[in-house]
């Protein structure tokens, strides 16, 4: 019988209305598991914290990564499930995937409807996540998100709808698997690059900001980010990753000052393709901006932050396996 460790961090799946009628994460893991565990899987569990994922910072993410690594290292644990709010689940999943080196699966899940809603989706999602973590076919797939009967690889998955019960969408090929009535079926296995070191304490204070471009945008916000202590800034460019002359001037200044500048796009799908001049992506890359391929914008932010926190200077060849 496989043994799965369930770690809880709060989120909608653990939320109930307070005296004001607002939903607040307040349930522990034992409440979440009531009526869920059993069958052919043995479950051990513990709480990490109880927070909505909109409250998490880098220190919380590092703590989650450390706790997951401890569970994965246990000889008696075959897989790990992490309950988490959906607001930033994609970011935590991606960070965990970057540092996950074991064949044991790690599966994130949560809910779109709180625990005290008549139609809460938390128990079914948690049941599915445990099934995925226990499935033999999940070994070697890294970190995934199990939600609404589908299984998504962490690398290219984003929350695409605020309230839909199936909010996640894979940006490069759809879900990698589905949870059936009696089994878990996988369509493909993600190709995963070498694992990076688990975040150190330096990750907590490593600031990487995102600046989105629009008609009339200047470099004021990018400069303010650096003044506030950012060691990296990602430009969410227009189209395939374009800027303008003011942003180009700032990129030249920032790169000269040792600031890591990433080039992404504000477009939900598709890669950065730096081939426009006259302030476009080709000029930004020529000035030292790092093109971030098809990696989702906020995944890219974590990748830069992790590498910078380890004392590295991000470069195209260093980032290439991860984008």
């Amino acid at each position: 019988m496989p043994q799965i460790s369930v770690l809880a961090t709060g989120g909608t799946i653990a939320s109930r209305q307070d005296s004001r009628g607002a939903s607040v994460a307040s349930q522990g893991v034992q409440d979440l598991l009531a009526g869920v565990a059993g069958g052919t899987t043995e479950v051990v569990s513990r709480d990490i914290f109880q927070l909505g994922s909109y409250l998490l910072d880098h220190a919380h993410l590092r703590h989650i990564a450390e706790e997951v690594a401890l569970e994965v290292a246990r000889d008696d644990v075959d897989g790990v499930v992490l309950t988490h709010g959906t607001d930033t689940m994609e970011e935590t999943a991606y960070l965990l995937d970057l540092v996950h080196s074991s064949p044991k699966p790690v599966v994130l899940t949560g809910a779109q409807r709180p625990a005290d809603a008549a139609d809460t989706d938390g128990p079914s999602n948690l049941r599915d996540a445990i099934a995925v973590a226990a499935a033999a076919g999940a070994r070697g797939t890294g970190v995934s998100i199990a939600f609404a009967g589908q299984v998504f690889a962490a690398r290219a998955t984003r929350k695409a709808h605020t309230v839909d019960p199936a909010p996640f969408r894979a940006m490069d090929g759809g879900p990698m698997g589905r949870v059936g009535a009696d089994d878990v079926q996988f369509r493909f296995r993600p190709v995963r690059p070498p694992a990076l070191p688990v975040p150190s304490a330096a990750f907590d204070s490593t600031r990487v900001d995102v600046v989105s471009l629009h008609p009339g945008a200047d470099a004021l916000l990018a400069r303010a980010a650096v003044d506030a202590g950012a060691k990296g800034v990602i430009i969410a460019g227009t189209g395939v990753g374009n800027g303008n002359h003011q942003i180009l001037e700032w990129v030249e200044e920032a790169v000269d000052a040792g600031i890591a500048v990433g080039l992404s796009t504000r477009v939900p799908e598709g890669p950065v393709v730096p081939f426009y001049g006259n302030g476009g992506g080709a000029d930004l890359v020529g000035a030292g901006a790092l093109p971030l391929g098809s990696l989702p914008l906020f995944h890219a932010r974590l990748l830069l932050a992790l590498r910078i926190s380890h004392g590295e200077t991000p470069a195209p060849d260093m980032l290439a396996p991860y984008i």
Side-chain angles (χ1 to χ4, degrees), residues 137 141 151-153 157 170 172-177 185-191:
T141 58
V151 186
F152 298 91
T157 297
D172 63 352
M176 71 172 179
Q185 299 178 350
F186 291 92
R187 297 174 52 241
F188 62 84
R189 302 177 67 81
V191 177

Side-chain angles (χ1 to χ4, degrees), residues 11-295:
T12 299
I13 192 172
S15 294
R16 289 182 173 272
Q17 287 189 356
D18 64 9
S19 59
R20 299 178 300 115
S23 287
V24 177
S26 55
Q27 283 196 322
V29 69
Q30 291 305 315
D31 293 319
L32 301 185
L33 287 168
V36 171
T40 59
T41 303
E42 182 179 353
V43 173
V44 295
S45 63
R46 58 189 173 89
D47 291 296
I48 299 178
F49 44 70
Q50 292 177 10
L51 291 172
S53 67
Y54 50 85
L55 295 172
L56 304 187
D57 58 22
H58 280 197
H60 291 110
L61 298 190
R62 175 173 65 88
H63 184 39
I64 290 172
E66 291 171 343
E67 295 298 314
V68 169
L70 286 174
E71 295 304 297
V72 168
R74 289 176 50 174
D75 292 338
D76 61 337
V77 167
D78 298 295
V80 176
V81 169
L82 180 75
T83 63
H84 194 288
T86 60
D87 280 11
T88 61
M89 185 183 293
E90 64 195 70
E91 285 139 301
T92 299
Y94 179 65
L95 178 65
L96 292 176
D97 195 54
L98 282 176
V99 303
H100 185 58
S101 59
S102 169
K104 297 179 183 180
V106 174
V107 186
L108 280 75
T109 196
Q112 285 286 77
R113 304 185 185 103
D116 55 358
D119 58 349
T120 179
D121 52 334
S124 62
N125 284 337
L126 181 52
R127 191 177 299 111
D128 286 352
I130 293 171
V132 173
R139 287 186 63 84
T141 58
V143 180
S144 61
I145 293 174
F147 218 98
Q150 298 181 317
V151 186
F152 298 91
R155 182 192 174 279
T157 297
R158 299 180 65 181
K159 187 174 182 180
H161 198 285
T162 56
V163 297
D164 193 290
F168 290 100
R169 182 175 178 183
M171 300 294 112
D172 63 352
M176 71 172 179
R178 296 184 182 276
V179 183
D182 302 312
D183 63 354
V184 180
Q185 299 178 350
F186 291 92
R187 297 174 52 241
F188 62 84
R189 302 177 67 81
V191 177
R192 303 180 62 244
L196 298 174
V198 172
S200 67
F203 181 73
D204 298 4
S205 58
T206 299
R207 181 167 183 158
V208 175
D209 286 325
V210 173
V211 174
S212 185
L213 301 192
H214 52 79
D218 58 24
L220 181 63
L221 293 179
R223 289 195 171 92
V226 175
D227 290 343
K231 301 301 182 184
V233 176
I234 295 181
I235 300 298
T238 56
V240 291
N242 294 308
N244 56 40
H245 293 289
Q246 291 161 299
I247 288 295
L248 175 60
E249 180 181 355
W250 173 80
V251 170
E252 293 170 343
E253 296 171 1
V255 171
D256 285 345
I259 303 300
V261 179
L263 180 59
S264 185
T265 172
R266 67 181 197 176
V267 181
E269 296 185 48
V272 170
V273 185
F275 65 83
Y276 287 104
N278 197 25
D283 288 349
L284 299 181
V285 172
L290 303 165
L292 295 170
S294 58
L295 191 64

Side-chain angles (χ1 to χ4, degrees), residues 288-313:
L290 303 165
L292 295 170
S294 58
L295 191 64
L297 177 61
F298 292 100
H299 293 47
R301 192 196 72 81
L302 281 171
L303 175 61
L304 282 190
L306 182 62
R307 306 226 68 157
I308 292 169
S309 72
H310 287 309
E312 301 170 342
T313 300

